[in-house]
């Protein structure tokens, strides 16, 4: 299939590369010309504008927008929607607010344009590992882009199959690493809650390692102090422990490079999904104690840093290449 990719940052560029590896054709655009040139060198067709991309795509066209949530995504989708080519499919693969998806889908559907929201997880590792995707949109549009989704997904890999999962009654795409979650907005809603849970998991690791590091404090009686090797602890927990995870893998990598995490200040950003998850919990009257505390801990980190906050920064850099907030 031929697809346009708009936004060639940490994830967009690798999405284009993974699709090309699977035999798909990509037309790429970014305001940063060197990013376009790099993809062209890898086999993509470069575009100088959204209008130029439109002319180089098939009719109807498929557009994957991979830009920051808010104005960049809003303006880009409005421009593509303005082409008014019947049957076009616009995909938002960023981290947009799900209610914005619902609004956009209604407006675009009225003019004959399909809108699909794809909550995409995989960060800077997606080129090799693949992307876990949660998709919202009409069945017609999602079925049309299925070859693209299948190429981006990680596949079943070496993960053991879930005991008791009845194959004939379950969507086989879930085992491949992507699902059609529901109508427009459902994909980003599921991804939003995913990121809220991520906040909680990361905070648990951060607090645990903070406690481990604090055991060497001279505030404790001398015979109760332990000078613990955090690098070894992270490593052994990766090996058969019930709390093993990819986040723990990233923790181990960060600590192996520098047990004191000196390159990080501990000022931890949030990209919005954590707050949106808490907002949804409030609307639904669902208690979300851990997720709320994790979000507030990030707010606190911007004025009062701990070792655990440095670990949060190290994990965010590890999976997404996220840099710390400026001081």
């Amino acid at each position: 299939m031929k697809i346009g990719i708009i936004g060639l940052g940490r994830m967009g560029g690798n999405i284009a590369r993974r699709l090309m590896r699977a035999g798909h054709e990509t037309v790429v655009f970014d305001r940063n010309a060197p990013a376009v040139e790099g993809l062209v060198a890898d086999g993509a067709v470069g575009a100088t504008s959204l209008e130029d991309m439109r002319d180089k795509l098939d009719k109807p066209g498929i557009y994957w927008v991979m830009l920051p949530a808010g104005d960049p995504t809003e303006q880009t989708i409005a421009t593509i929607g303005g082409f008014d080519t019947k049957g076009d499919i616009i995909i938002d693969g960023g981290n947009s607010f799900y209610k914005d998806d619902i609004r956009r889908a209604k407006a675009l559907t009225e003019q004959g344009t399909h809108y699909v929201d794809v909550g995409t997880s995989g960060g800077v590792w997606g080129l090799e590992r693949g992307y876990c995707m949660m998709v919202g949109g009409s069945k017609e549009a999602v079925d049309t882009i299925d070859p693209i989704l299948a190429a981006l997904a990680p596949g079943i890999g070496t993960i053991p199959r879930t005991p008791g999962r009845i194959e004939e009654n379950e969507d086989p795409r879930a085992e491949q690493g992507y699902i059609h979650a529901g109508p427009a907005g459902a994909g980003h809603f599921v991804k939003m809650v995913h990121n809220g849970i991520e906040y909680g998991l990361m905070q648990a690791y951060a607090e645990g390692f903070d406690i481990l590091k604090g055991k060497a404090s001279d505030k404790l009686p001398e015979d109760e102090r332990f000078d613990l090797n955090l690098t070894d602890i992270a490593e052994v927990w990766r090996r058969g422990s019930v709390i093993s995870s990819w986040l723990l893998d990233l923790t181990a990598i960060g600590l192996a490079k520098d047990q004191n995490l000196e390159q990080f200040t501990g000022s931890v950003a949030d990209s919005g999904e954590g707050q949106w998850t808490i907002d949804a919990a409030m609307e639904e009257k669902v208690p979300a104690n851990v997720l709320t505390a994790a979000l507030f801990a990030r707010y606190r980190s911007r004025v009062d840093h701990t070792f655990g906050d440095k670990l949060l920064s190290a994990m965010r850099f590890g999976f997404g290449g996220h840099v710390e907030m400026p001081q």
Side-chain angles (χ1 to χ4, degrees):
M1 298 184 74
K2 182 181 286 189
I3 181 172
I5 309 290
I6 302 108
L8 307 176
R10 289 189 300 265
M11 291 179 67
N14 282 343
I15 284 173
R17 291 184 177 93
R18 188 169 174 91
L19 287 173
M20 288 190 289
R21 286 183 181 183
H24 296 283
E25 299 178 72
T26 63
V27 181
V28 298
F29 172 67
D30 193 289
R31 289 187 298 178
N32 179 21
V36 175
E37 293 165 3
L39 266 296
V40 170
D42 289 339
V45 175
T48 57
S49 66
L50 293 175
E51 290 76 12
D52 185 36
M53 175 177 283
R54 172 196 60 196
D55 295 340
K56 291 176 176 176
L57 288 173
D58 297 333
K59 303 294 185 294
I62 302 174
Y63 301 82
W64 184 298
V65 180
M66 204 66 186
L67 296 170
D71 288 345
T73 292
E74 198 74 51
Q75 293 167 9
T76 300
I77 291 175
T79 299
I80 299 171
F83 297 159
D84 200 18
T85 304
K86 301 299 181 183
D88 275 356
I89 299 176
I90 301 175
I91 304 164
D92 180 3
N95 283 326
S96 288
F97 185 41
Y98 76 97
K99 292 184 181 180
D100 290 334
D101 294 316
I102 296 170
R103 168 179 52 79
R104 292 175 192 147
K106 286 180 179 178
L108 290 167
T109 299
E110 289 176 359
Q111 66 184 48
T113 300
H114 300 284
Y115 180 85
V116 178
D117 52 291
V118 179
T120 310
S121 181
V124 297
W125 298 78
L127 177 59
E128 301 300 332
R129 292 173 59 115
Y131 300 90
C132 172
M133 293 168 292
M134 297 132 272
V135 185
S138 70
K139 184 179 185 303
E140 177 187 356
V142 175
D143 285 351
T144 299
I145 65 171
D146 188 76
I148 291 168
L149 301 173
L152 291 174
I156 195 166
T158 60
I159 298 174
R161 304 190 78 172
T162 302
R165 184 177 173 87
I166 304 173
E167 295 177 39
E168 59 267 25
N169 294 332
E170 302 290 351
D171 188 341
R173 293 174 293 187
E175 285 190 320
Q176 301 299 317
Y178 67 109
I179 59 169
H180 183 191
H188 276 148
F189 184 80
V190 175
K191 175 57 163 50
M192 176 190 80
V193 177
H194 162 284
N195 282 22
I197 292 170
E198 176 188 291
Y199 282 30
L201 293 172
M202 292 172 69
Q203 187 64 30
Y205 284 125
E207 292 177 8
F209 277 90
D210 217 355
I211 294 168
L212 292 170
K213 187 173 180 62
K215 195 58 175 171
S217 172
D218 58 10
K219 297 177 182 178
L220 297 173
E222 187 171 356
D223 62 351
E224 294 182 12
R225 299 175 200 165
F226 302 147
D227 187 12
L228 300 169
N229 187 314
L230 303 187
T231 303
D232 284 352
I233 292 170
E235 188 64 31
V236 76
W237 282 352
R238 294 180 62 213
R239 312 288 173 175
S241 163
V242 72
I243 63 167
S244 60
S245 71
W246 185 23
L247 289 172
L248 184 58
D249 294 344
L250 296 172
T251 296
I253 291 169
L255 290 171
K257 291 179 180 177
D258 173 15
Q259 188 163 165
N260 292 316
L261 303 175
E262 294 292 349
Q263 79 175 94
F264 301 102
T265 66
S267 180
V268 187
D270 69 283
S271 52
E273 297 89 347
Q275 180 178 330
W276 297 339
T277 302
I278 305 310
D279 290 344
M282 296 291 287
E283 290 176 359
E284 299 167 20
K285 297 180 174 56
V286 174
N289 308 62
V290 172
L291 307 191
T292 304
L295 176 64
F296 287 172
R298 293 196 177 196
Y299 294 162
R300 188 265 311 140
S301 77
R302 296 164 200 173
V303 294
D304 177 27
H305 313 314
T306 67
F307 177 77
D309 296 330
K310 290 186 176 184
L311 195 65
L312 286 174
S313 287
M315 281 187 273
R316 294 186 80 245
F317 182 77
F319 67 72
H322 302 291
V323 296
E324 291 183 317
M325 295 186 67
Q327 298 298 295

